[in-house]
Amino acid sequence: DAKTTQPTSMDCAEGRAANLPCNHSTISGNEYVYWYRQIHSQGPQYIIHGLKNNETNEMASLIITEDRKSSTLILPHATLRDTAVYYCIAPEAGYSTLTFGKGTMLLVSP
Amino acid sequence: DAGVTQSPTHLIKTRGQHVTLRCSPISGHKSVSWYQQVLGQGPQFIFQYYEKEERGRGNFPDRFSARQFPNYSSELNVNALLLGDSALYLCASSAAPYTGELFFGEGSRLTVL
């Protein structure tokens, strides 16, 4: 897996956009970037993934830089329920083994 | 549709005992993976099974074993339990063995005394 680097923690005000960065400078051309989150005491939840193009779904948007060395997960209108640890993962192409780092603890406050 | 279901949700064992954890994948999913999450750390990969065959194994001792049944459900077995085996054991299923889009259950929390 490509090594990923994320900030340890971030704060966000409820209703504002949360922008979570991830560096993956060693990512290979065919390796996707996946984002998961884990709310306290629950199993991880898949959010979104992408290869080159920006992606959007009902949960979030994923912006990947042109050189693919970094990406940003955007929660457009954060709510208190978005408080969780967010993991950025770049698994080896063709494999579904996920290597979780420490992730970013996002705290959404009223 | 039901998500990934795991049982039991909580259990307490003593050192040296054996434990079996069970997982039912999402209907139609043929790949099952197991992860261990100790307190304060991210989940760590233990095994992946696809079509009843082991497809991957993480860096865990031979005390850990698993299998997948014809209905794609799976069991994780841990022998000779150590205090350090106390953790949340997570099962994840996916439609294919090569996708990073996994669906996790809520986990089985094991406490070893």
Side-chain angles (χ1 to χ4, degrees), chain A residues 16-108:
Chain A
R16 304 297 294 268
N19 296 280
L20 293 91
C22 178
N23 288 319
H24 33 76
S25 58
T26 62
I27 196 169
S28 299
N30 59 352
E31 289 177 340
Y32 284 75
V33 178
Y34 285 81
W35 283 82
Y36 281 78
R37 73 180 183 183
Q38 188 172 24
I39 297 170
H40 183 62
S41 297
Q42 296 183 19
Q45 178 188 23
Y46 164 81
I47 301 174
I48 198 168
H49 72 280
L51 183 64
K52 296 180 184 178
N53 301 319
N54 299 337
E55 302 288 344
T56 294
N57 63 20
E58 65 278 5
M59 290 184 67
S61 295
L62 175 60
I63 308 297
I64 302 174
T65 58
E66 193 169 342
D67 63 8
R68 300 210 333 117
K69 292 185 177 182
S70 66
S71 60
T72 300
L73 179 74
I74 301 173
L75 308 178
H77 306 286
T79 70
L80 300 180
R81 288 177 294 180
D82 292 322
T83 292
V85 178
Y86 286 78
Y87 297 99
C88 168
I89 303 168
E92 184 178 354
Y95 291 86
S96 59
T97 302
L98 303 181
T99 300
F100 289 82
K102 293 186 181 297
T104 296
M105 176 65 220
L106 175 68
L107 177 62
V108 181

